[in-house]
Amino acid sequence: MSPPRPRSAKPSLSSHPHAHLSSSSSTLGTRLGRLVRFFLSLYLISAIFYTGFHFLVRPAFSLVLGSASNDYSAAAASHFSPKVDALKKDKVKHPALENAGVKAADIRNEDTRDRVWAAAEAAEKKGKKKANAGRMEYVPPSVITDGSELVRKRMDGLDGTEWDVDQMHWHHPSMPLAHSGELSTSYEDVLGDLDASKAPVAISEDHFLSLSFGSSLQPSKVIPYYYRASAPDQEGFEKEDITITTLVTSNRFKVFERLVDRYKGPVSATVHVADSSSHSEMLASLDELYTSNPNMMKYVDIHLVYDPFDRQFNMWRNVAKFFARTEYVMMLDVDFWLCTDFRSRILGSSEIMHRLKGGMAAFVVPAFEFAKQSDGVDPDTFPADKSALIDLVKADKIGMFHKSWAPGHGSTNYSRYYDAKPGEVYRVQGYTHSYEPYVIFKKEGSPWCDERFIGYGGNKAACLFELYLSGVSFYVLPDDFLIHQSHAYAEKARKHERRYNRKLYTDYREELCFRYLNLFLDQIDGPRAKNLANECKKIKGFATTAARFIAAAAGGTR
């Protein structure tokens, strides 16, 4: 019998070439998994303890011990207050003002002179105190003030001014005075020969002008041509000229005088008179300014607005434009220095004048601002031609006006302006509703500024938004520019008023889009409605609603 064959020995696990590596990897993975679970558990436990302490233990501790907790809070506050104060200070800094180097003291001075927002802040603080004290019972007033007394108080003491003295006469259609023809006899002789059926109807000039500027805060007394320029009254005065329309307050009289001496052309300026305690002094200063300067008396029409409402900028702009005596106007802030003679360049260009006469073009004079406030004080040091300006731009000493708010002037396209050749006028592309350049346009037929915008923020942009929606295109003058003369701003007023005007502007844009859609229904596919289509489609829901409106107007289905 043959001996049994020996079993073949199985190779041991350790004899496999990868056996040791697999064992080590498995052990390492297990250890890492345990470590991750440990830290995750530790994190969860810590989160539970932290939440419980802050939301359960600490409130209970504060409730029981009270004063001790307050001491702890006070200590913590004293420890962190320097950092908090620093953050607050950083937060209120305005980039444009920091770039211009405006002094904080100047800003505070502007704010302290502002009675409106000082009262608003006081009322806000008082309201918070009342809210903290709980609801208070209504106490009826002991004296009921009638309407006339309310008007007197709103006029802030200016009710002593004469009202309804100047009259406007509306003549019978059969009378020569009802038309533009010249009289062969005197006005008194004509009136003396009239029978009662053809007597003129007289209305108060104050009443008429209150309707002309009816969207502004009322009552407001407008005195046209308080000072009247002599040049427009001369025979042969050229009406195809450009009137600068501007707003002037008493702290800008010297800057205004420099503007007039520089321009030596028609100016229509609105001067606001508000403070009853000092308006006599202010008018005396205005009289000295006007009567002592031959250029003022020759070129400048000044119109007064008496009311207690500060910063009705758009109403003031409308007054200056309304009484301008030339075919074209330039809406300009008084603080800008005219570095170049754009007036002669425009009047001497047949192409530009042809576009202006058509009423569908507005010409932009690019605006600049020095990086340092100290560089923008003396206009005698400003560049007088484009090449000198570009040298300053390359040296980072000057740039776009309010560059911290790019939508304001960015559509001018400053890069293209720098590269533009002499006489190479170019069209503004990429318009935005915040665009607010300084433009020259035709007075007749152009929209008026919406007077609901009071104070800073969006007021001038609203004027130009409607101008753009009406079909006017903007073109940039490549050889001309303006430079802002440095001054401090009332920052508190700007903060409050921008908040209000931002909301108003949002609603205003939508309102205006539908109004002009209705106006352009018969030419909706024409060139004049192009700006309307491009800008209003940015408003949510407008395109859909407009399509239905157009279809309904054309007799289509709703």
Side-chain angles (χ1 to χ4, degrees), residues 454-518:
I454 298 169
Y456 297 109
N459 54 79
K460 182 150 57 67
C463 300
L464 297 177
F465 180 75
E466 183 164 3
L467 186 67
Y468 181 76
L469 244 59
S470 71
V472 174
S473 297
F474 295 154
Y475 297 86
V476 180
L477 299 173
D479 305 303
D480 299 291
F481 58 94
L482 312 164
I483 294 181
H484 184 251
Q485 298 173 76
S486 304
H487 65 90
Y489 297 99
E491 278 303 295
K492 289 181 182 177
R494 285 172 174 256
K495 175 184 174 183
H496 288 287
E497 290 167 346
R498 282 194 184 109
R499 187 185 307 156
Y500 163 78
N501 282 339
R502 189 181 300 117
K503 169 61 177 171
L504 176 60
Y505 197 19
T506 300
D507 297 338
Y508 169 76
R509 287 172 56 215
E510 185 172 3
E511 169 196 323
L512 210 60
C513 282
F514 281 105
R515 182 145 60 89
Y516 274 91
L517 173 66
N518 195 21

Side-chain angles (χ1 to χ4, degrees), residues 283-298:
L283 290 176
S285 299
L286 178 61
D287 184 73
E288 181 181 357
L289 172 73
Y290 192 89
T291 57
S292 64
N293 189 318
N295 288 328
M296 284 274 186
M297 293 188 290
K298 183 176 181 180

Side-chain angles (χ1 to χ4, degrees), residues 223-285:
I223 304 179
Y225 306 109
Y226 186 80
Y227 291 103
R228 180 164 168 159
S230 61
D233 291 332
Q234 300 299 316
E235 187 176 352
F237 173 72
E238 181 57 67
K239 288 193 173 184
E240 283 204 352
D241 204 339
I242 302 166
T243 295
I244 287 180
T245 62
T246 192
L247 328 171
V248 187
T249 51
S250 59
N251 60 340
R252 296 287 185 268
F253 280 174
K254 289 299 179 184
V255 177
F256 178 46
E257 185 175 25
R258 288 203 296 259
L259 172 66
V260 172
D261 288 337
R262 176 69 171 173
Y263 189 55
K264 290 184 174 64
V267 175
S268 179
T270 302
V271 176
H272 181 235
V273 183
D275 189 356
S276 61
S277 64
S278 61
H279 76 270
S280 297
E281 180 182 343
M282 182 259 208
L283 290 176
S285 299

Side-chain angles (χ1 to χ4, degrees), residues 137-192:
E137 292 184 5
Y138 169 73
V139 179
S142 57
V143 178
I144 304 297
T145 307
D146 63 15
S148 60
E149 181 66 13
L150 286 174
V151 170
R152 191 196 68 77
K153 287 189 174 182
R154 287 181 67 193
M155 290 306 295
D156 199 17
L158 294 177
D159 54 313
T161 305
E162 292 182 337
W163 289 81
D164 300 327
V165 174
D166 296 323
Q167 301 290 310
M168 300 181 65
H169 293 89
W170 300 83
H171 295 273
H172 192 277
S174 64
M175 299 303 299
L177 282 174
H179 309 283
S180 58
E182 294 184 1
L183 286 175
S184 58
T185 58
S186 69
Y187 180 75
E188 290 76 10
D189 291 339
V190 171
L191 293 182

Side-chain angles (χ1 to χ4, degrees), residues 4-252:
R5 289 187 299 177
R7 292 182 180 178
S8 59
K10 288 184 178 181
S12 64
L13 189 62
S14 60
S15 65
H16 194 279
H18 299 290
H20 183 70
L21 180 62
S22 300
S23 176
S24 300
S25 300
S26 177
T27 304
L28 182 61
T30 302
R31 290 176 179 175
L32 284 175
R34 290 173 180 173
L35 191 62
V36 169
R37 285 194 294 273
F38 170 76
F39 280 111
L40 182 60
S41 301
L42 186 63
Y43 172 77
L44 291 174
I45 292 170
S46 301
I48 292 170
F49 273 105
Y50 178 84
T51 305
F53 174 76
H54 280 277
F55 290 96
L56 295 175
V57 178
R58 188 173 179 180
F61 180 80
S62 301
L63 184 63
V64 173
L65 297 182
S67 60
S69 176
N70 292 338
D71 292 341
Y72 168 78
S73 300
S78 63
H79 177 71
F80 290 107
S81 60
K83 296 180 181 179
V84 174
D85 291 341
L87 288 173
K88 287 182 179 178
K89 288 180 181 178
D90 289 339
K91 188 176 180 180
V92 300
K93 287 183 178 179
H94 190 286
L97 295 177
E98 290 301 309
N99 291 336
V102 174
K103 296 178 181 178
D106 293 337
I107 299 172
R108 284 195 295 271
N109 289 336
E110 289 289 320
D111 284 325
T112 53
R113 284 197 291 264
D114 194 316
R115 297 176 295 115
V116 174
W117 291 110
E121 286 193 341
E124 185 178 0
K125 291 178 182 178
K126 187 176 181 181
K128 288 180 179 179
K129 289 180 180 179
K130 285 186 177 180
N132 294 334
R135 298 179 64 88
M136 300 182 67
E137 292 184 5
Y138 169 73
V139 179
S142 57
V143 178
I144 304 297
T145 307
D146 63 15
S148 60
E149 181 66 13
L150 286 174
V151 170
R152 191 196 68 77
K153 287 189 174 182
R154 287 181 67 193
M155 290 306 295
D156 199 17
L158 294 177
D159 54 313
T161 305
E162 292 182 337
W163 289 81
D164 300 327
V165 174
D166 296 323
Q167 301 290 310
M168 300 181 65
H169 293 89
W170 300 83
H171 295 273
H172 192 277
S174 64
M175 299 303 299
L177 282 174
H179 309 283
S180 58
E182 294 184 1
L183 286 175
S184 58
T185 58
S186 69
Y187 180 75
E188 290 76 10
D189 291 339
V190 171
L191 293 182
D193 295 336
L194 286 180
D195 58 52
S197 64
K198 294 184 179 181
V201 177
I203 66 169
S204 160
E205 182 183 273
D206 291 323
H207 182 66
F208 176 81
L209 292 177
S210 70
L211 177 61
S212 300
F213 308 105
S215 297
S216 62
L217 295 177
Q218 296 289 336
S220 183
K221 182 178 179 64
V222 178
I223 304 179
Y225 306 109
Y226 186 80
Y227 291 103
R228 180 164 168 159
S230 61
D233 291 332
Q234 300 299 316
E235 187 176 352
F237 173 72
E238 181 57 67
K239 288 193 173 184
E240 283 204 352
D241 204 339
I242 302 166
T243 295
I244 287 180
T245 62
T246 192
L247 328 171
V248 187
T249 51
S250 59
N251 60 340
R252 296 287 185 268

